[in-house]
């Protein structure tokens, strides 16, 4: 029940983000508008903690996706988890 509620809220957040920011605005641009230094700090942290190619191969493709995809992906994962646990979901 709780997972479904949180999934529903995340789905609503994806809808609101799509309507307010536009359906094609990348996630990296939205994060840069919220906190301008966040992208540089994230890139430096990834290059220090992981290998140097991790930014280009893992994080950059995610940041080029539309902003509404991130909360929608979380909502889908929560719905899948709640479907596999019908007595607790």
């Amino acid at each position: 029940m709780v997972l479904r509620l949180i999934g529903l809220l995340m789905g609503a957040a994806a809808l609101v983000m799509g309507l307010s920011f536009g359906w094609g605005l990348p996630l990296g641009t939205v994060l840069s508008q919220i906190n301008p230094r966040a992208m540089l700090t994230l890139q430096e942290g990834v290059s220090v903690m992981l290998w140097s190619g991790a930014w280009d191969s893992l994080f950059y493709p995610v940041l080029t996706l539309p902003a509404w995809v991130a909360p929608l992906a979380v909502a889908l994962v929560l719905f899948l988890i709640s479907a596999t646990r019908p007595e607790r979901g």
Side-chain angles (χ1 to χ4, degrees):
M1 179 79 174
V2 174
L3 292 176
R4 290 181 192 152
L5 178 64
I6 295 172
L8 186 63
L9 290 174
M10 293 301 286
L15 180 65
V16 168
M17 286 178 75
L19 291 173
S20 63
F21 293 128
W23 296 105
L25 190 66
L27 179 62
T29 305
V30 172
L31 292 176
S32 294
Q33 289 175 352
I34 294 171
N35 186 357
R37 294 245 336 129
M39 298 305 292
L40 293 173
T41 306
L42 179 64
Q43 187 175 8
E44 291 172 4
V46 166
S47 65
V48 169
M49 295 295 191
L50 301 173
W51 73 97
S52 60
W55 178 259
D56 293 331
S57 61
L58 297 175
F59 289 90
Y60 185 72
V62 171
L63 293 173
T64 57
L65 291 173
W68 57 270
V69 172
L72 183 65
V74 172
L76 290 176
V77 167
L78 290 175
F79 282 134
L80 286 173
I81 291 171
S82 69
T84 59
R85 300 172 40 173
E87 71 279 353
R88 296 177 148 194

